[in-house]
């Protein structure tokens, strides 16, 4: 399973760039919140997944270690996302991460939120 890669279509990017940017902003803000509010996130995990405190804290620590700080993804994460998308959709074309990524929305949001 690939986590942390947000995908959309070229059509959506062209027709609804405002919507794409809002989604990117929401994802980046959630990444920032999770890092800045460990107590609230741990409490939520306890309630939502019915974990004891120790389990929730360990889960938080493990998740934070693997999370992007600013919404960026590594080439390895992008390759995994591309493989998963090809396996679950009608994508026959081989893509490199550079071909599959549209980073302008992310860069704008990073600059606006001052996270990069």
């Amino acid at each position: 399973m690939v986590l942390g890669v947000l995908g959309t279509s070229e059509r959506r990017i062209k027709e609804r760039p405002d919507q794409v940017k809002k989604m990117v902003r929401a994802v980046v803000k959630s990444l920032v919140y999770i890092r800045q509010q460990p107590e609230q996130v741990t409490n939520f995990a306890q309630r939502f997944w019915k974990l004891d405190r120790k389990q929730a804290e360990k889960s938080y620590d493990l998740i934070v270690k693997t999370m992007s700080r600013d919404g960026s993804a590594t080439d390895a994460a992008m390759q995994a996302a591309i493989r998963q998308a090809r396996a679950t959709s009608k994508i026959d074309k081989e893509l490199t991460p550079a071909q599959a990524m549209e980073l302008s929305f992310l860069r704008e949001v990073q600059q606006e939120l001052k996270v990069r």
Side-chain angles (χ1 to χ4, degrees), residues 30-52:
S30 70
L31 293 171
V32 170
Y33 179 85
I34 289 167
R35 287 187 181 281
Q36 290 179 345
Q37 303 296 328
E39 184 69 22
Q40 287 83 346
V41 174
T42 302
N43 289 340
F44 173 80
Q46 263 187 284
R47 288 189 316 276
F48 190 79
W49 288 295
K50 297 175 179 43
L51 302 173
D52 65 39

Side-chain angles (χ1 to χ4, degrees), residues 52-65:
D52 65 39
R53 185 68 186 178
K54 192 172 183 176
Q55 289 174 315
E57 288 171 348
K58 282 185 178 181
S59 297
Y60 175 86
D61 291 342
L62 288 171
I63 289 168
V64 167
K65 287 178 186 176

Side-chain angles (χ1 to χ4, degrees), residues 1-7 27 31 66-68 71-74 77-78 81:
M1 175 167 51
V2 177
L3 300 174
V5 178
L6 181 63
V27 169
L31 293 171
T66 64
M67 281 179 26
S68 169
S72 298
T74 64
M78 285 303 303

Side-chain angles (χ1 to χ4, degrees), residues 87-104:
T88 60
S89 67
K90 297 176 184 175
I91 300 171
D92 294 326
K93 182 178 168 185
E94 286 286 334
L95 296 172
T96 66
Q99 292 170 313
M101 290 190 282
E102 166 52 74
L103 296 176
S104 62

